Amino acid sequence: MNKMVMIICFSFLLLGCSISNNEEEKFEVMIDVTEYSMVSSSELIADLGEPDALEENYMGGTLYSYKEDLGHFEFILHDDVVTRLTVYSNDYWNNEGENFPYHGIDTVKTIGIEELKPTAKKKDTGSTLIISPVSDNVADVQFHDIEEDEFGMMKITYNLSNY
């Protein structure tokens, strides 16, 4: 009888371990970068307000800069459409505040990308992670200044033709 009870308890223990290993880790979305894919300047201004700075002829386009709670945002527009977003953490931008949390390839989930294209390739140098192609509306994602479990800056490119 005791052997039978031990076998049943052991079976439940194994079942519990396999269930917990199959659960997908949830990540808090700090920004949904897919919302800015190919939006116009008027849509950007409607969402974020007037930029803190505007620079014409920046990399062949126009740079819209915003200071947000999360960090410093730079949108590059070509032909009045957002083609790249660069987000600097407060620590990276002005040495005040914190960097962003880094979770390896799963960091894309913290920026609103739930699933990568099956053809996605990654390049990991240890301090930079580049993923391309990412999804139907994001061409590539770059996480820079990676140190252990945090990073300082990310670039999201929506259209690679200008870069």
Side-chain angles (χ1 to χ4, degrees):
M1 179 78 166
N2 282 340
K3 271 188 176 180
M4 184 59 112
V5 171
M6 282 183 61
I7 291 173
I8 291 172
C9 289
F10 185 69
S11 298
F12 280 119
L13 179 64
L14 286 177
L15 179 64
C17 289
S18 67
I19 289 172
S20 66
N21 288 339
N22 290 334
E23 289 181 13
E24 189 172 319
E25 190 174 350
K26 301 289 184 202
F27 297 96
E28 182 180 340
V29 175
M30 58 181 167
I31 177 178
D32 186 352
V33 299
T34 63
E35 292 179 5
Y36 300 107
S37 177
M38 307 299 285
V39 301
S40 68
S41 61
S42 59
E43 292 170 305
L44 187 62
I45 290 170
D47 187 38
L48 297 175
E50 290 295 326
D52 296 322
L54 187 98
E55 186 177 334
E56 298 285 339
N57 299 316
Y58 183 86
M59 295 182 69
T62 306
L63 178 72
Y64 287 68
S65 296
Y66 292 89
K67 175 68 179 118
E68 298 291 322
D69 290 339
L70 185 62
H72 182 81
F73 288 54
E74 293 184 343
F75 295 87
I76 301 174
L77 285 75
H78 290 92
D79 299 321
D80 198 43
V81 174
V82 173
T83 56
R84 176 175 277 169
L85 164 62
T86 303
V87 183
Y88 303 90
S89 72
N90 287 315
D91 183 57
Y92 189 93
W93 184 254
N94 61 11
N95 294 320
E96 295 178 7
E98 307 212 352
N99 280 319
F100 303 123
Y102 181 70
H103 308 284
I105 193 81
D106 286 330
T107 306
V108 297
K109 294 177 182 175
T110 68
I111 60 171
I113 299 167
E114 283 298 315
E115 202 170 306
L116 295 173
K117 280 189 168 190
T119 56
K121 298 199 181 334
K122 71 175 192 170
K123 178 181 178 184
D124 189 347
T125 68
S127 63
T128 299
L129 174 64
I130 301 170
I131 307 164
S132 182
V134 176
S135 66
D136 289 337
N137 54 0
V138 176
D140 87 358
V141 172
Q142 302 175 26
F143 300 107
H144 293 270
D145 198 35
I146 299 168
E147 291 184 16
E148 296 177 20
D149 61 349
E150 61 183 32
F151 69 99
M153 184 252 290
M154 65 181 115
K155 289 185 181 186
I156 296 85
T157 307
Y158 303 107
N159 181 345
L160 288 170
S161 63
N162 296 295
Y163 303 98

